[in-house]
Amino acid sequence: MLINKNYRKKSELETIFHTLPDLYFRVDIEGTILDYQANIIADLYVPPEELLNKRFQEILPPEVGQKISQTIREVHKTGNLMSVEYALPLEKGVQYFEARILSLLTDQVAVIVRNITDSKQAEQALKESKETAEIANQAKNTFLANMSHELRTPLNGILGYAQLLKQDRTLTAKQREFVLIMESSGEHLLTLLNDILDISKIDAGRMELEINEINFAHFIKTITDIFQIQAQQKGILFTYEQETPLPDMVHGDEKRLRQILINLLGNAVKFTTEGSVAFKVGQYQDMFRFEVQDTGTGINKDELQTIFAPFQQATIGKSFIDGIGLGLAITKNLVTMMDGTIHVTSELGVGSQFWIEIPLPVSENWAEFALLEQTTVMGYEGSVRKVLIIDDKWENRLILDNILTPLGFELHEAFDGQEGIIKAQETHPDLILMDLVMPVMDGYEATKKLRELEDTDSASNKVIIIAVSASAFDEDRQQSLAVGCNDFITKPYPVEILLKKIQEYLQISWIYEESGEIGDADNKITPPPPETIDMLFNLVIRGKIRDVRKQLTELSLLDEGRYHLFVDKIAKLAKSYKLKEIRHFLNQYR
Ligand code: ADP
């Protein structure tokens, strides 16, 4: 294989050398060049006639030459293939080379040199373009964070006032209908905004799950309630089927699991114009199976795989006005993050079946039974509590003022962090609702300062600070907690969430609108069959409140929730252990 240049004509060599490495040397173990081939386009540091019988130190810059000679000895000793990369300043600029050194069978070593300048440059260009892309991606994320904030703030105003207006009893039926449309359009906008944010978070690898305890029965009920109504409005049937007994409590990311199910059920209702949507839930060891089956449009076989990609819609999906094809992409990513799987079967014109399987560790801990409060909060028990609202937008302050003042809170306001600190020192609030992005001094800075002041004044009590922000980014939540906020609420928020947090942190008991003991409201209650009433009564007189709650959970899911008023009434009494009153209530139906 080795060709001595003396025996070859130049033209022959040219042909061969174009297919060969740039340089090929045969050297002895001392590194003396015995023979070589040079591709004519090779870049040589010295003229070719000077190569024979020289050592690498003599034909290359000393450090490079020594490195190669040293490697030659090592290759000879170990028999391994090794390589050395080096750069040479040549006439046409710096060139990069790779010398691969391998032991030959004799006491000789081969050195194969390739000019790798092009691939080095390509590598460098790739690295640079990666860096540019990274910078662009960061810019995109910053843009999304800002956009989210800018859009959420006015949306907060729209939704907040729609919620307040909805409660106004002087509205005519027509006006009420308009308000509800305003509210649902706002919520739709919020969903789209959230979807875009979610997919970009997933894209940037910044989506994180937040695991907490889920009250399973309540969780399922709130979802089935929503779709019961939606299906009814569309004139289709919605059924819920519990396929196996289900636990009270599981561990999981409640918000994200709800998002997954709402997306699947929402699609099923959206793409079904007649027939039904069936929702089935079952537990198989640690795996939970949630299935959504519809008798809707169905999906073409060859489109079944693409619907899970972002912005992809099947042919029929495109003809629907709402939706931009992000739901299933987000759903699939969330399911995967939860170590679960998603499946679909579908037949055009017959219907679709989507199901997910997700491991949700069962929790033994019975947390507070928290059926959504249906009644209106009128006020709270005990002394007057002071709330300081720090927000630069007057409309945000006004919303909170309108919600909290009628409940009996003493409200104070400030329009930025600096004024907020002064007001806090003047009024000693029990609770501060702190906006995060504000001019002059933002909410992070203000919280930090307030906590520092508390630390220097040992007599002062620690005020509860809840950050109220339009940002949907986990970092902002974490940062606000890190500077000393007790909690974080994302705007726009339902009033119930705000009230729940206030109750939790100020430890107050709400006073609800009186329905008049066994008055009008109780007359509307549908009681369960007498055996159930008797069983509940027996549990109550034995003080088995936990079992009562379990029974209530089951009861609330029976017969499409027709006992929910009955369940709510007892649940509320059970929450504060008013056993005598539960007995009194049950006795009416015995
Ligand atoms: P969107 O609903 O916003 O279009 P999705 O990602 O949720 O986006 O769904 C992607 C597409 O998958 C839909 O546009 C539709 O074509 C199809 N699809 C999803 N669910 C169903 C269903 N239950 N029945 C028929 N088609 C569906």
Side-chain angles (χ1 to χ4, degrees), residues 504-547:
E504 190 180 321
Y505 285 103
L506 297 187
Q507 301 192 336
I508 49 178
S509 312
W510 296 122
I511 300 169
Y512 295 97
E513 185 174 39
E514 265 310 323
S515 52
E517 271 305 280
I518 311 167
D520 285 344
D522 282 6
N523 287 338
K524 291 192 207 103
I525 290 176
T526 313
E531 315 84 76
T532 315
I533 303 262
D534 280 348
M535 178 195 56
L536 284 171
F537 193 84
N538 283 329
L539 290 173
V540 175
I541 54 177
R542 283 184 289 144
K544 301 228 165 222
I545 208 74
R546 207 191 126 149
D547 291 339

Side-chain angles (χ1 to χ4, degrees), residues 349-580:
V350 178
S352 315
Q353 186 189 21
F354 285 82
W355 72 99
I356 57 170
E357 284 168 4
I358 294 187
L360 296 171
V362 174
S363 165
E364 297 303 328
N365 214 343
W366 177 268
E368 209 193 353
F369 187 87
L371 272 182
L372 212 65
E373 299 294 352
Q374 306 273 345
T375 34
T376 318
V377 173
M378 301 297 285
Y380 54 91
E381 284 165 13
S383 59
V384 172
R385 309 299 171 92
K386 286 181 270 186
V387 180
L388 172 60
I389 303 166
I390 308 181
D391 196 315
D392 57 323
K393 302 257 179 349
W394 64 267
E395 59 271 39
N396 288 344
R397 297 197 303 268
L398 197 60
I399 288 181
L400 288 169
D401 193 4
N402 277 321
I403 298 171
L404 297 177
T405 306
L407 300 183
F409 290 96
E410 181 184 318
L411 266 281
H412 297 277
E413 295 179 18
F415 47 77
D416 66 42
Q418 209 164 51
E419 204 208 1
I421 294 176
I422 299 169
K423 283 274 169 76
Q425 286 172 316
E426 278 170 17
T427 60
H428 300 287
D430 301 281
L431 167 72
I432 297 179
L433 296 171
M434 178 82 83
D435 184 22
L436 291 177
V437 183
M438 288 180 288
V440 188
M441 185 190 284
D442 66 18
Y444 301 110
E445 189 66 28
T447 305
K448 226 190 294 178
K449 289 252 159 66
L450 282 167
R451 292 303 185 210
E452 276 165 20
L453 287 169
E454 280 172 351
D455 285 346
T456 49
D457 177 8
S458 56
S460 80
N461 281 330
K462 274 195 181 299
V463 58
I464 303 294
I465 304 180
I466 299 180
V468 184
S469 170
S471 162
F473 285 88
D474 293 334
E475 289 92 321
D476 295 325
R477 164 188 287 271
Q478 272 149 22
Q479 202 192 334
S480 67
L481 298 183
V483 294
C485 291
N486 298 70
D487 211 326
F488 181 100
I489 306 180
T490 311
K491 278 191 267 194
Y493 45 81
V495 176
E496 292 83 20
I497 297 275
L498 177 73
L499 295 187
K500 194 157 178 278
K501 298 266 185 211
I502 292 181
Q503 175 187 40
E504 190 180 321
Y505 285 103
L506 297 187
Q507 301 192 336
I508 49 178
S509 312
W510 296 122
I511 300 169
Y512 295 97
E513 185 174 39
E514 265 310 323
S515 52
E517 271 305 280
I518 311 167
D520 285 344
D522 282 6
N523 287 338
K524 291 192 207 103
I525 290 176
T526 313
E531 315 84 76
T532 315
I533 303 262
D534 280 348
M535 178 195 56
L536 284 171
F537 193 84
N538 283 329
L539 290 173
V540 175
I541 54 177
R542 283 184 289 144
K544 301 228 165 222
I545 208 74
R546 207 191 126 149
D547 291 339
V548 171
R549 285 167 173 161
K550 265 196 180 165
Q551 292 298 333
L552 289 179
T553 309
E554 278 179 35
L555 200 57
S556 68
L557 296 172
L558 275 185
D559 294 345
E560 290 161 10
R562 62 190 294 232
Y563 305 125
H564 87 264
L565 287 178
F566 177 88
V567 169
D568 284 356
K569 177 90 186 180
I570 302 183
K572 209 179 296 161
L573 295 171
K575 214 167 168 181
S576 36
Y577 286 86
K578 296 189 169 152
L579 300 190
K580 209 165 101 189

Side-chain angles (χ1 to χ4, degrees), residues 263 267-268 270-271 294 297-299 307 312-314 316-318 322-329 352 354:
N263 185 38
N267 278 346
K270 174 163 129 188
F271 293 107
D294 66 56
T297 60
I299 305 162
I307 53 170
Q312 290 297 323
Q313 297 179 304
I316 294 172
K318 287 187 191 126
D322 55 343
I324 47 174
L326 282 180
L328 284 180
S352 315
F354 285 82

Side-chain angles (χ1 to χ4, degrees), residues 236-254:
I236 56 175
L237 183 70
F238 176 83
T239 58
Y240 168 71
E241 193 183 315
Q242 182 180 323
E243 293 189 305
T244 63
L246 293 172
D248 296 330
M249 286 283 170
V250 295
H251 281 286
D253 186 329
E254 180 166 358

Side-chain angles (χ1 to χ4, degrees), residues 111-122:
V111 179
I112 301 162
V113 180
R114 273 188 329 120
N115 185 324
I116 54 167
T117 311
D118 286 352
S119 60
K120 263 267 181 276
Q121 274 164 356

Side-chain angles (χ1 to χ4, degrees), residues 70-170:
Q70 202 182 339
T71 313
I72 288 171
R73 282 195 293 276
E74 238 175 286
V75 167
H76 179 68
K77 227 184 334 187
T78 61
N80 293 340
L81 173 96
M82 296 177 85
S83 59
V84 176
E85 273 189 27
Y86 60 93
L88 291 182
L90 296 177
E91 253 171 46
K92 59 178 168 184
V94 174
Q95 299 286 299
Y96 294 88
F97 297 91
E98 183 195 36
R100 311 186 98 208
I101 302 164
L102 61 145
S103 169
L104 296 172
L105 288 175
T106 55
D107 259 359
Q108 294 172 357
V109 172
V111 179
I112 301 162
V113 180
R114 273 188 329 120
N115 185 324
I116 54 167
T117 311
D118 286 352
S119 60
K120 263 267 181 276
Q121 274 164 356
E123 204 177 285
Q124 184 62 26
L126 188 69
K127 203 173 139 214
E128 274 164 21
S129 75
K130 255 192 189 157
E131 276 162 12
T132 322
E134 183 57 30
I135 291 168
N137 203 29
Q138 267 169 21
K140 183 187 80 178
N141 284 331
T142 313
F143 166 74
L144 282 170
N146 292 341
M147 179 194 80
S148 145
H149 188 263
E150 292 305 316
L151 293 182
R152 270 159 192 273
T153 306
L155 199 52
N156 186 40
I158 296 171
L159 281 174
Y161 282 106
Q163 280 189 20
L164 278 175
L165 208 53
K166 198 172 66 176
Q167 286 167 7
D168 188 335
R169 293 183 182 186
T170 61

